Structures are given as structure tokens and as C-alpha cells.
Amino acid sequence: MIQLALLYIVLASSFVGFMSQLRKKYQMANGIGLVSTLSFILLASLSAALVGSFFSDGLRLEPYSFLFATGYGLCSTVTAALCICGTAFGNLSVLIMCATLGTLIIPSAYGLVVLPQENVLTVWKICGFAAAFVCLLLNFLGSKKAAEETPEADTAKSSAVFNIMCAVVFITNGFALVFYNMENRYCSDYSYYSFVTEYMLISAAVLAVVLIILFFKNKRQFVGEAKKVATVKNMGIILLYAILFFASDLLSINCAGMIPLIIQAPVSFCVPVIVVALLDYVLYKEKLTKRNLLQMAAALVCCICFVVE
């Protein structure tokens, strides 16, 4: 069971690696304006929901599934938006570090406190957590160095806004995995395809409301940014992103029913470290530094500690 779950996480992490590159291409072409950023997430969510509708058995909108889908949809949307817009206030690698830290800590704490019968802390798991924190420390050192080398707005206001963004992505990215687990526990008879489709439609509805408000607030600026988004190249990027988006989330939610949170959270944190670094090396010829290799080694040790038990 855990081997299959690990395979799902590796595949989901691979898709996340490709998604990060697609976001980068979109951002380089369209900037980090609020309208272009939210439009990207809105169109991706709608496209992914359309893909999901071909596989789902219908949306029943049950109270619990709707609640968990809303919670996950908001967490996912806020995290994605801040990771794009946040580059205007600080270094992206710092934001990503805070998001991954949330993935490691919040679901693990939830599993230990709320579901102690399923999440037992053993010596192997303690060693795994230690390796994960080594990985985080190396990530923090790399993020700090990148932040020093990257010109940023040095005003106190920008610094305060960026710190708030870091805190928010820590919370939203961490609770996303918790909502997955709760959906699997309390709505086990609800199709995974239907749940992912449902939360993406909810995210799209929230984003549509925000974009309507922005339209009436400044019509000229809105139309200007919207025209930049409406190109064939951007639509192609968004469609490909949506397919990977749906597949990644579908695989991730499948994992929630296969392994305890105290295992899923660290593995979900560490596997992307390895997969994304390898993708960058293979596809984009980015050099692997000593820090990258040490980080990948620590991530591999973490995964082994949780898998071998």
C-alpha cells in the first residue's frame, strides 16, 4: 500500500515540477499583476473542472464534501496567488519554503493530536522528521542567500506584507492536506473525481467574484491586463497547466486514503524536493549545487525512514 502511495506522490510531484515551469513562463510573459494572476488561476480551475467532469459521477453537493471542497479550494487558490504575486515583495524561494514547511508541520501535528490511533510516533519516524528538518534547514540557507542576491523593495511596508504572505502560505498549504484527509475520512463514498471537480468550481466562483470587483474598481486597468492574457500561447499554457493540476490533485487525494498523515506529510514534503531538482536538471540543464545534492540526500533518507517501517 505504501509503495503505491509513494508512486502516486512521485507522479504528483513530477506534475507539480512541470506546473511550476508553466507558471514561470506565464509570469514572464504577463507580469505579476493581480488581474493576470487571478485570471490564470480562474481559467486553469475552470479547465481542470471541465476535464474532471468527464470522469466524475456528478456533483451531489453534500454538506461535508462541500465544506471540505470549499476549504481546500480556498487554501489552494490563496497559496497559488501569493506564490505568484509575492515576488513583488520578496524572494519566491522563501515563500515556497514557508509553504512546504506548512505541508510538513500542520498535517503531522493534526495526525498526532486528532488521530493518534493511526499516527504513532516511532524511532524511525523521529529519524525521518530529523532528516526532513535538515532538508528544511538547507532550503532556508539557500533561500536566505537567494534573498540577499535578489533586489527587493526595501521599505518596511513591503517587508511587513511579505512576512504576512509567508505566514499565510504556511497555514493554507499546510491545511490543504488536512482537508484532503478529512474528505477521505468523512466522505469515503464520494468520488475523488467529483471532489476535485467540485473544489475547482468553488475556487473558480470565488475568483470570478474577486475579478468582477476588480473590473468595477478600475475598468481600464482590468481590460488592459485581460487583453494580455487572451492570447493563443497563454491559453495553451493554461490548458496544459489545468490537466497537470487536475492529475496532481487527484493523485494526492488518493494518497490520503492509503497512508496515515504522519507518513504522508513528510513524504509529500520530501519527494518534490528530489523530483523538482531532477526535472530542472534534466529539462532545463540547471546545475545541481552541493547544497542541492545534500538536500536531496536528506529528503531521500526521510522517505526511506517512513517507507521501511
Side-chain angles (χ1 to χ4, degrees):
M1 182 73 76
I2 194 171
Q3 288 82 0
L4 182 59
L6 184 61
L7 174 61
Y8 284 167
I9 294 174
V10 170
L11 288 174
S13 301
S14 301
F15 295 153
V16 169
F18 285 112
M19 286 163 60
S20 66
Q21 298 300 328
L22 289 171
R23 282 200 306 268
K24 186 185 297 184
K25 287 183 179 295
Y26 178 87
Q27 183 180 336
M28 290 173 62
N30 302 280
I32 54 175
L34 191 57
V35 173
S36 62
T37 297
L38 297 182
S39 297
F40 175 83
I41 304 172
L42 169 63
L43 293 173
S45 298
L46 285 175
S47 301
L50 181 62
V51 172
S53 66
F54 288 104
F55 302 97
S56 69
D57 55 1
L59 304 178
R60 291 177 291 177
L61 297 179
E62 297 176 353
Y64 280 123
S65 69
F66 182 79
L67 176 64
F68 300 145
T70 301
Y72 181 80
L74 292 175
C75 286
S76 176
T77 301
V78 170
T79 300
L82 290 183
C83 282
I84 296 175
C85 295
T87 54
F89 300 91
N91 190 270
L92 177 60
S93 58
V94 178
L95 269 173
I96 293 175
M97 180 201 65
C98 292
T100 53
L101 182 62
T103 301
L104 176 65
I105 292 178
I106 292 178
S108 298
Y110 173 84
L112 287 169
V113 175
V114 180
L115 305 168
Q117 67 279 9
E118 297 177 7
N119 299 274
V120 181
L121 193 61
T122 63
V123 173
W124 276 106
K125 290 186 176 72
I126 292 173
C127 293
F129 278 118
F133 277 104
V134 169
C135 189
L136 269 172
L137 177 62
L138 291 167
N139 191 33
F140 173 76
L141 295 175
S143 300
K144 186 176 180 181
K145 182 179 179 181
E148 291 172 351
E149 295 174 353
T150 304
E152 298 174 3
D154 55 358
T155 65
K157 182 179 179 181
S158 294
S159 178
V161 170
F162 186 69
N163 289 336
I164 293 173
M165 287 182 171
C166 289
V168 172
V169 296
F170 171 86
I171 295 170
T172 55
N173 212 46
F175 273 103
L177 193 57
V178 174
F179 281 118
Y180 268 160
N181 183 270
M182 294 173 73
E183 190 278 337
N184 181 269
R185 174 173 296 275
Y186 299 107
C187 308
S188 57
D189 62 334
Y190 198 53
S191 164
Y192 293 152
Y193 294 101
S194 297
F195 176 76
V196 175
T197 302
E198 184 178 336
Y199 100 70
M200 287 186 174
L201 287 173
I202 292 171
S203 298
V206 173
L207 289 166
V209 171
V210 175
L211 284 170
I212 290 171
I213 293 172
L214 291 175
F215 172 77
F216 285 106
K217 185 177 180 180
N218 193 331
K219 294 181 181 180
R220 180 175 296 180
Q221 182 181 352
F222 184 96
V223 172
E225 286 195 48
K227 285 182 178 179
K228 291 176 61 178
V229 174
T231 66
V232 175
K233 181 179 179 180
N234 283 338
M235 293 302 105
I237 290 175
I238 290 170
L239 180 59
L240 180 56
Y241 184 92
I243 295 171
L244 295 174
F245 190 16
F246 181 83
S248 176
D249 277 358
L250 186 64
L251 289 168
S252 296
I253 195 173
N254 266 278
C255 294
M258 303 173 78
I259 52 178
L261 268 173
I262 199 174
I263 297 178
Q264 187 181 359
V267 173
S268 296
F269 160 69
C270 287
V271 169
V273 172
I274 301 172
V275 174
V276 173
L278 290 176
L279 277 175
D280 286 339
Y281 175 74
V282 173
L283 298 177
Y284 303 98
K285 308 302 180 185
E286 291 189 11
K287 184 179 178 181
L288 292 174
T289 64
K290 291 181 179 179
R291 182 183 61 80
N292 293 142
L293 294 173
L294 286 172
Q295 195 173 27
M296 290 170 66
L300 182 61
V301 169
C302 174
C303 292
I304 291 173
C305 286
F306 284 99
V307 171
V308 297
E309 191 173 15

